[in-house]
Amino acid sequence: MASNRSVRRAQEPVTYTCALCDSEDGVRWYCNDCQENLCDRCKETHIRGRKTKSDDVVAIGEANRQGDKPVPEVCKLHSGKLCDLYCSDCNLLICSMCLSKTHKHHNWKHFEDEFSIKKQHLKEHMTAISVKIEHFKNETSERHRVNEGFNDNIDTMRKEVNTQRTKLKAEVDSIADAILAELSALEKGESTMHKTDCQRSEKKVEELTGLLEQAEMTNTSSVSLFETERSLRTTLPLYDVNVKYVSPKQPSFVTGSTDRVLLTEMLGELHHENQYEKTDIDSKHVQRLSKFTVTPQNTLYGICPVDDSHAWLSIHQYQGLVLVNRDGVVKETVKLDFCPYMIPMVGTKDILMTSNPICTFVYKLSLHNKQVTTFADIRPHKARDISINEKDEVFVSTDTPDIVVLNQSGTVIRKVSIGSEIIRYVVCLSSGRLCVVQTIGGSWTDRNINITDESGTVIQTWTGELDNGQKVGSMQLCKMSFDKRDRVFVPDYKNNQVYILPRDGKQAVCLLDQRHGELEPTAVGVDTCGNVWVGCYDGTVHVMGL
């Protein structure tokens, strides 16, 4: 708080001296160009001077500079008073009247003292700004450098891709040319044989025609008749028509199927980290890309995305699989003699299937010829859900605590047991981890999720904890899916929700809110772009963009 002496000193009027006549009377003006105080009389002379008539002369309270000495502003509350004091409590410039009326018991300083402090702070701020400018300039320069290197790397890989494409094309052309050359050789051989055979037959026709004419010219004398008959009896057996003509076997060309996985391995595969991995999912920002209903309008059991715009669907009580695009247009239908249930893909060429009602068989559908074969018989267990791990091992849940593991030949290679509760659904995550839905006491509506290692040891359990601090009660969890970041997408039929369980988190995020309007989701699938296909009880499919 200021002392009485300081208050009295602060209340003393500020006086200025005219720079031209040294008078202290009427010094109310200031020349910004000459940086001089002026009285009323000298101000008039100043603005009439030949060299100074264009100078910027203003009221002294409006001066914008006065050498090294700061010029106070005129108080807006008290006319004629200068704000030559500073209230530290209010961070405000004040005049002596403001001090006596409003800021009397506040801490204050003289304007000049605080001005030097603020000026120093301003310099420090300016220095900090310069440092930050330099930092962001360097950051921009570094970003340009990284971008240039990134683009150079892209160009290099683009050249490598085109080189591999040229090599593959050359190999394909070489194989095709070899087959075409073989066909030409077969064609040439057949042409030669055709000409030879025809010439031989034509020669025989000519010879037999001569014999016929000879017989017709034979007279009735006994000698010539007997001679001709004897000659024909000897000659005709040489022309045996009972010799079966053997036609050349027709060659055939069996077209091969396009194996995209094998082609990818031959061409090469792009490996890169997701640039935006750390982006959190917020249901308010989830966008529904499309919505459609498949026919027949029945519960969707399985959704198996093929790429970023197509997915195979298995439907309750429907004997077949349906391939749809993201707009719901049916692109292909495969008829079966059973109702498929769960449907993971093996690469891009085959689909494994269980059936509904569930049985001991796992079936395989080859997409190139639409042939269905029995992939495995896991009796006494019954096959329910299927998932395939990074090693191409097939994991089959069995409505028991056991998971049967098969190789790509359909042979049982081991079993994985997880606790004592029934396993309904299974998803193979990276690094040998499994994510399973297990019932509690066999109940349809009391379920939880366990994350295990490849031996079945539970690493993590989720029982409904959400990131907002709440916990879901009774749940009916259905067919799950996962994305490249090992986030598990779990549909909850009972609560009209799809939960997202992070790779290393014990709390799930709700994918949907009321505006999305999904009712009773029964299956989810994640496509190659990370879009989530949600299938519902009534046969509706929602494609959600994250």
Side-chain angles (χ1 to χ4, degrees):
M1 185 179 296
S3 65
N4 291 333
R5 180 181 296 179
S6 298
V7 172
R8 285 196 301 271
R9 187 163 66 89
Q11 291 175 338
E12 294 176 358
V14 178
T15 60
Y16 298 101
T17 302
C18 179
L20 300 182
C21 66
D22 294 329
S23 172
E24 294 182 355
D25 296 330
V27 182
R28 291 188 289 268
W29 307 97
Y30 181 77
C31 178
N32 283 328
D33 294 297
C34 299
Q35 299 188 29
E36 292 177 340
N37 297 327
L38 300 172
C39 64
D40 291 339
R41 185 177 59 183
C42 293
K43 178 249 186 180
E44 294 299 325
T45 303
H46 196 80
I47 62 177
R48 290 192 184 96
R50 186 161 57 94
K51 294 183 179 180
T52 58
K53 63 181 179 180
S54 299
D55 285 2
D56 182 22
V57 179
V58 297
I60 199 167
E62 298 175 3
N64 55 26
R65 61 186 183 275
Q66 188 173 358
D68 293 332
K69 185 178 179 181
V71 179
E73 298 178 357
V74 176
C75 183
K76 297 179 181 179
L77 298 178
H78 306 101
S79 178
K81 296 292 183 179
L82 296 178
C83 292
D84 52 0
L85 303 172
Y86 175 77
C87 178
S88 300
D89 294 343
C90 299
N91 191 22
L92 189 68
L93 290 171
I94 60 175
C95 70
S96 57
M97 292 290 289
C98 294
L99 176 62
S100 61
K101 291 185 177 181
T102 310
H103 304 269
K104 187 174 183 180
H105 299 293
H106 293 184
N107 293 309
W108 59 272
K109 299 178 182 178
H110 283 284
F111 169 75
E112 295 88 345
D113 298 336
E114 185 62 25
F115 184 85
S116 62
I117 295 173
K118 294 296 185 185
K119 189 173 183 181
Q120 180 60 34
H121 289 169
L122 181 62
K123 289 181 179 179
E124 293 172 356
H125 292 323
M126 291 172 64
T127 301
I129 290 173
S130 298
V131 170
K132 291 179 184 294
I133 289 174
E134 188 65 23
H135 168 79
F136 287 115
K137 283 183 177 179
N138 292 336
E139 190 177 74
T140 302
S141 177
E142 175 64 15
R143 188 64 183 89
H144 285 318
R145 186 191 67 78
V146 171
N147 176 258
E148 184 177 353
F150 188 92
N151 290 335
D152 288 343
N153 187 38
I154 292 293
D155 289 339
T156 300
M157 288 189 292
R158 185 177 286 116
K159 292 177 182 177
E160 291 175 351
V161 170
N162 285 323
T163 299
Q164 287 296 95
R165 171 162 51 185
T166 301
K167 289 180 180 179
L168 281 177
K169 283 183 176 179
E171 288 296 329
V172 171
D173 288 342
S174 176
I175 295 170
D177 288 343
I179 295 174
L180 293 174
E182 189 174 358
L183 289 174
S184 297
L186 290 173
E187 183 181 37
K188 184 177 180 180
E190 164 61 14
S191 177
T192 301
M193 292 178 62
H194 170 262
K195 183 177 180 180
T196 301
D197 291 341
C198 289
Q199 287 178 345
R200 185 185 300 114
S201 296
E202 290 171 355
K203 182 179 178 180
K204 290 181 178 181
V205 169
E206 183 180 352
E207 291 174 350
L208 287 170
T209 300
L211 291 175
L212 180 60
E213 291 176 351
Q214 182 182 351
E216 290 175 346
M217 294 174 61
T218 301
N219 54 38
T220 57
S221 67
S222 59
V223 175
S224 59
L225 178 66
F226 278 88
E227 289 179 352
T228 301
E229 189 275 334
R230 183 172 59 253
S231 174
L232 291 177
R233 187 169 63 247
T234 304
T235 305
L236 283 178
L238 300 178
Y239 301 92
D240 188 1
V241 296
N242 294 318
V243 177
K244 187 176 182 180
Y245 169 71
V246 180
S247 300
K249 290 185 178 180
Q250 296 289 341
S252 62
F253 178 70
V254 180
T255 58
S257 60
T258 302
D259 189 333
R260 187 178 181 86
V261 174
L262 182 58
L263 283 175
T264 300
E265 292 177 357
M266 296 169 66
L267 179 68
E269 192 171 6
L270 181 63
H271 292 274
H272 64 96
E273 294 296 326
N274 191 337
Q275 298 288 334
Y276 308 98
E277 272 193 2
K278 296 183 179 179
T279 302
D280 294 327
I281 294 178
D282 183 347
S283 63
K284 295 181 180 178
H285 300 139
V286 172
Q287 178 185 6
R288 184 166 62 195
L289 303 178
S290 65
K291 174 185 176 182
F292 58 88
T293 301
V294 295
T295 301
Q297 297 181 15
N298 217 332
T299 303
L300 289 164
Y301 281 145
I303 298 180
C304 186
V306 179
D307 48 36
D308 61 348
S309 57
H310 296 83
W312 287 98
L313 308 177
S314 61
I315 308 168
H316 177 56
Q317 292 184 340
Y318 180 70
Q319 291 187 338
L321 293 178
V322 179
L323 179 67
V324 297
N325 66 11
R326 209 168 71 178
D327 297 321
V329 178
V330 176
K331 294 296 184 178
E332 191 173 353
T333 300
V334 178
K335 294 294 185 180
L336 305 170
D337 57 5
F338 63 92
C339 296
Y341 188 40
M342 297 303 167
I343 51 168
M345 290 199 70
V346 183
T348 59
K349 58 182 180 180
D350 298 321
I351 296 178
L352 294 181
M353 300 173 289
T354 57
S355 65
N356 183 39
I358 63 174
C359 66
T360 64
F361 295 110
V362 177
Y363 302 96
K364 177 187 280 189
L365 168 66
S366 297
L367 292 176
H368 75 280
N369 59 11
K370 305 303 182 293
Q371 295 297 313
V372 177
T373 56
T374 299
F375 177 72
D377 184 352
I378 64 170
R379 66 181 65 193
H381 295 294
K382 292 185 176 180
R384 184 178 179 85
D385 193 14
I386 314 175
S387 186
I388 304 172
N389 70 4
E390 297 169 326
K391 302 175 184 177
D392 288 335
E393 295 175 331
V394 180
F395 287 69
V396 184
S397 66
T398 62
D399 271 352
T400 72
D402 295 332
I403 295 175
V404 175
V405 185
L406 313 169
N407 60 20
Q408 281 295 311
S409 299
T411 303
V412 177
I413 55 178
R414 67 179 184 277
K415 293 182 182 179
V416 177
S417 297
I418 303 174
S420 59
E421 301 290 352
I422 293 174
I423 298 173
R424 296 291 186 186
Y425 304 99
V426 59
V427 168
C428 295
L429 306 177
S430 63
S431 303
R433 299 186 310 144
L434 301 177
C435 178
V436 299
V437 171
Q438 291 186 280
T439 62
I440 301 174
S443 171
W444 279 95
T445 57
D446 290 323
R447 303 182 179 184
N448 59 21
I449 288 179
N450 281 319
I451 307 292
T452 77
D453 61 18
E454 56 188 1
S455 67
T457 302
V458 176
I459 302 172
Q460 176 184 330
T461 298
W462 183 72
T463 57
E465 296 81 6
L466 301 177
D467 65 334
N468 59 10
Q470 298 180 356
K471 181 176 180 179
V472 185
S474 179
M475 300 179 289
Q476 187 168 342
L477 307 180
C478 299
K479 175 56 182 173
M480 307 175 292
S481 187
F482 68 103
D483 64 7
K484 294 178 180 179
R485 294 170 53 189
D486 267 2
R487 296 182 299 193
V488 183
F489 294 75
V490 189
D492 181 356
Y493 170 84
K494 182 177 181 180
N495 295 299
N496 297 321
Q497 185 56 262
V498 174
Y499 308 115
I500 306 170
L501 189 62
R503 175 185 173 90
D504 300 317
K506 294 184 178 180
Q507 295 179 333
V509 178
C510 290
L511 177 69
L512 311 174
D513 55 31
Q514 292 181 349
R515 68 188 175 88
H516 295 123
E518 278 80 353
L519 298 177
E520 300 173 332
T522 53
V524 294
V526 181
D527 65 26
T528 54
C529 283
N531 299 318
V532 182
W533 298 55
V534 183
C536 298
Y537 180 79
D538 63 354
T540 302
V541 177
H542 304 259
V543 183
M544 314 301 294
L546 307 185

